[in-house]
Structure formats: structure tokens, C-alpha cells
Amino acid sequence: MRKNIVAGNWKMNTTLQEGVKLAKEVNEELKKVTPKCEVVICVPFTHLASVNGVIDSNNLGLGAENCADHKSGAYTGEISAAMVASTGATHVILGHSERRQYYGENSEILKEKVNLALANGLTPIFCIGEVLEQRENGSYLEVVKAQIEEALFGLSPEDFGKLILAYEPVWAIGTGKTATDDQAEEMHAFIRGVIADKYGKEVADNTSILYGGSCKPTNAAALFAKPNVDGGLIGGASLDAESFMGIVNAF
Ligand code: PEP
């Protein structure tokens, strides 16, 4: 059966020293509890190797926030999936709405990134979600379906089974405006149905689908109680060990 997962997305926050300190705090807090979910922190590229050196990988997974859509070569400033994997990271966030919106990442680019991540043994945390206008004009289900079909439906069932999906309504990210638990459940159940239609019920039932968008200790339990919500991708609240642990302990 699918796993429950809480993953932090630190975005472009913390210096190396601040990041190592935060990772150590989360690592220590996790030792005090028996979490009912897997826990992952996705951190800036510059922090990966150092953070890997201070966390216990049995308790806390480590991921990057992006990787390149090329294998290697003359792509100044880019970081490849192989480079990410060589730091000890095991996960990578792909398709985050901020990458789609500010860096022009489309399904063609994301397809390459997913393939390269999988080829290098990384678990993609693949983000999908509609903008406010699409929520309001009622096209949100179709929008998310198209994002999944375009970037992911070229994968074999075996490779699709390696993914984690994160539904992140763009209007809820960093806005303090959370989708209601019923809105999240409607979308998560829909996504599972889309996967089942393509890959069958077993693959769909085994796919973890996380919710992201202003998830906090105060609303996490209600969201995670929904049958198709398998955890959270956490932005702002992952920058403080106490609030991140409040979400982890909501399971
Ligand atoms: C995110 O960016 O993945 C996210 C969910 O951010 P926040 O929790 O800050 O809304």
C-alpha cells in the first residue's frame, strides 16, 4: 500500500549554515517520536552534501528542489540529476508551480527531467495544480489531468510507480489560503482515477499523492484524514523545525 509522506520544500531560503542547523534540528526532533509517515526535506543544491552529512538517512530523506533537463555538458549554472544523486539525495521536486511560472518549465521539459531523475535513481516529487482562474472557471480537473498526461503518461507502469505526486493549487501556495479538505479530497480522488484509467487500480492505489499549499500544524490533521490525501509538501512551515514537526505529527 502507498506510503504517507511529509516533505519540506525550503525553496530559496537559508544560508548553508542556517540550513545545516535546521536540518540537524529536524533530525533531532524526529528521534524523539515515531512518525507515522516518511519525512523528507528538499533543500537548495548548495546545501545537499552538507545536510546529507548531518542527518540520519534512515529517519529523514533528502531531496533537491529541481534538476536539469539535460544529462551533462555546456549548460552553465545547471545541476544535473546525476550531480544531485552524487550528494546522497534520494528525491527531487519537479514541476513546482514556481518553476513553471518563473522559469518557463513546460511538460516537454518536465518529461526530460523526470526521465533523468529516474535514470539516476532519484524519486521525483512531481507537482501539479491549477491557478485561481482555472479553479474559478471550473476547468481545474481537466488542467491537472493534462499536466499528468503530458509529462508522465509516457512512463512505463514500473517507472510511474516510482513517482510521488503533489497536488498544489497555485492559489494556495504561500498565500495562507488553504484548499479545504473536501477540495483537496475531490482533486486527489480524481487524480487517482486518472492514474487508474491509464495504469490500473494497483498502480493508482500505490501512488502517494501529497497536498501542498499553506499546510500548517493547524490544518494538516484534517487534510491528512481524507482517504486520498497521503501527506503534504510543505513550503513556509518547513522552515521552522517545530511547525514542520507539528505537521509530521498530524498523522
Ligand atoms: C510549496 O511551495 O510547495 C508550498 C506548499 O508552499 P507553502 O506551504 O508555503 O504554501
Side-chain angles (χ1 to χ4, degrees), residues 206-222:
N206 285 331
T207 302
S208 297
I209 308 174
L210 315 185
Y211 169 79
S214 299
C215 188
K216 301 183 250 338
T218 45
N219 58 23

Side-chain angles (χ1 to χ4, degrees), residues 9 11 96 98 127 168 172-176 212-215 233-237:
N9 172 16
K11 311 195 187 193
H96 193 279
E98 288 152 16
C127 304
E168 299 207 305
I173 295 178
T175 57
S214 299
C215 188
L233 180 57
I234 317 300

Side-chain angles (χ1 to χ4, degrees), residues 15-16 39 61 69 75 84 105 128 135 157 177 205 240:
T15 62
L16 174 60
V39 185
D69 58 339
Y75 300 100
V84 169
E105 293 195 6
I128 54 216
R135 168 62 55 174
K177 196 174 170 185
D205 283 346
D240 175 77

Side-chain angles (χ1 to χ4, degrees), residues 212-231:
S214 299
C215 188
K216 301 183 250 338
T218 45
N219 58 23
L223 286 159
F224 297 171
K226 291 292 179 186
N228 285 289
V229 178
D230 308 313

